[in-house]
Amino acid sequence: QWFVPILLWVLCGAIVGFASDGKTIVEAGLGSILGQGVGFYLLTQVFETQVSWKALAVGGVAGCGLALIGAWLGEKLQDMYEHRRTA
């Protein structure tokens, strides 16, 4: 049940890290926090779902951490790709 969100956070972070030029690990973390906030707003205001602020905080910290791990992996893949391309 939790595997898909974890995979998506890491995968999206890796895509951001790979696609962005330079060292851009922080962008993935900020994007994760922004996405968590928008998701929280949609759930509570648009769909009128009961979600606690505690869930937002826990999900935000976990999501940001996983996105940063993914971004780091994306940076490593980008470095390997560029090194292979120039060699």
Side-chain angles (χ1 to χ4, degrees):
Q1 180 177 0
W2 285 97
F3 178 73
V4 173
I6 290 171
L7 179 66
L8 288 176
W9 266 317
V10 172
L11 182 63
C12 290
I15 290 170
V16 169
F18 181 78
S20 298
D21 291 335
K23 302 294 181 196
T24 56
I25 292 174
V26 175
E27 288 177 2
L30 293 176
S32 171
I33 292 170
L34 180 63
Q36 190 78 12
V38 170
F40 182 77
Y41 174 79
L42 288 173
L43 284 173
T44 58
Q45 302 302 315
V46 176
F47 300 112
E48 298 177 357
T49 305
Q50 296 292 325
V51 180
S52 69
W53 287 98
K54 187 189 217 179
L56 173 66
V58 170
V61 169
C64 183
L66 291 168
L68 289 173
I69 290 169
W72 178 78
L73 290 172
E75 289 286 336
K76 294 298 178 188
L77 288 172
Q78 183 185 53
D79 289 344
M80 287 177 19
Y81 177 75
E82 289 176 357
H83 178 69
R84 190 176 288 172
R85 210 171 79 183
T86 58

